[in-house]
Amino acid sequence: MAEREAVAGVSGEEQARVRRYVAERIAELGRLAELPAERLPGFENRDGAYPFIEVGRDGELRYLAYERGRKVLDLRTRDPQELLYWAFRDATYEAAGVWASRHPREGEEYRVTLWRRQFAMLHTLRPAWARRRREELVASLRDPAHIRLVPGLPLPPEG
C-alpha cells in the first residue's frame, strides 16, 4: 500500500489486507521506537482505556478505547498514516511519561522532560509527527508562560 494511499470501501479480503498492513507498520515502528508490543494498540478491546483498532467493512479505520465498558476514545479515518500517527502519539506519550519519571532533569518540570522525550521518539519515527505533535501541544495551551515551556524539536543529524 502506498505511503499516503487512503482506504476506500473494502471487501473482506481487502479488509484483512489493510489490517495486516496496519499491524505490520505498528510492529515495525514499535520496534524502532523501542516500545514494548503490549503497549501498542492491537485489534482487540482490552477495556481499561487501552486504545485498539478496528478496520470496518466500509474501509473506515477506527481508533477506539473503552473504560469500564464506556467509550472514551473514538477517532475515525480512511488514512492508515493518520491512524498510525494517533497510535504513536499516544504510545510515545505514555512511554515518555515513564521515562521522564525515571530520568528527572534538574531544574526542568516533569511535563517538559516528558514532551522533550516524546518529541525525540516521534522524530525517530517520522520527523513530521514530532512537528505535528508539538504544534498540537502549543495550540492546546492558553497561557503564554506554558507555551514558552514547550521544548523545540530535535535537530536533524548533521550529514
Side-chain angles (χ1 to χ4, degrees):
M1 178 178 275
E3 195 69 18
R4 297 295 311 169
E5 183 177 341
V7 178
V10 295
S11 66
E13 184 178 303
E14 179 68 6
Q15 185 181 17
R17 188 180 74 74
V18 169
R19 183 177 165 143
R20 272 192 314 277
Y21 172 81
V22 169
E24 288 168 3
R25 294 298 76 72
I26 286 176
E28 173 189 339
L29 293 168
R31 282 189 301 274
L32 184 60
E34 299 179 355
L35 293 167
E38 65 273 4
R39 300 318 258 163
L40 297 172
F43 294 89
E44 302 296 325
N45 179 5
R46 297 189 297 166
D47 206 57
Y50 291 102
F52 69 99
I53 298 162
E54 288 181 350
V55 179
R57 285 217 173 266
D58 60 355
E60 188 173 62
L61 299 164
R62 300 175 187 103
Y63 186 62
L64 306 163
Y66 288 84
E67 174 72 35
R68 296 184 200 127
R70 197 177 116 250
K71 192 183 295 182
V72 294
L73 176 67
D74 186 353
L75 300 175
R76 296 162 184 253
T77 185
R78 292 186 181 278
D79 181 354
Q81 299 310 310
E82 183 72 2
L83 179 87
L84 291 171
Y85 169 73
W86 295 334
F88 284 94
R89 175 201 58 204
D90 294 349
T92 58
Y93 181 84
E94 180 183 353
V98 170
W99 190 91
S101 295
R102 294 180 182 157
H103 301 90
R105 291 178 72 163
E106 184 74 31
E108 183 171 271
E109 287 188 34
Y110 164 82
R111 64 184 171 164
V112 175
T113 305
L114 180 155
W115 294 333
R116 186 182 315 283
R117 179 67 174 185
Q118 183 185 27
F119 296 163
M121 293 176 79
L122 287 170
H123 189 269
T124 297
L125 300 175
R126 304 240 169 92
W129 287 357
R131 284 190 301 277
R132 178 177 172 183
R133 178 65 192 124
R134 186 178 188 283
E135 290 168 3
E136 289 171 349
L137 178 60
V138 168
S140 74
L141 300 171
R142 299 288 179 246
D143 185 335
H146 294 171
I147 293 170
R148 283 191 294 276
L149 292 174
V150 178
L153 295 173
L155 296 174
E158 293 184 29

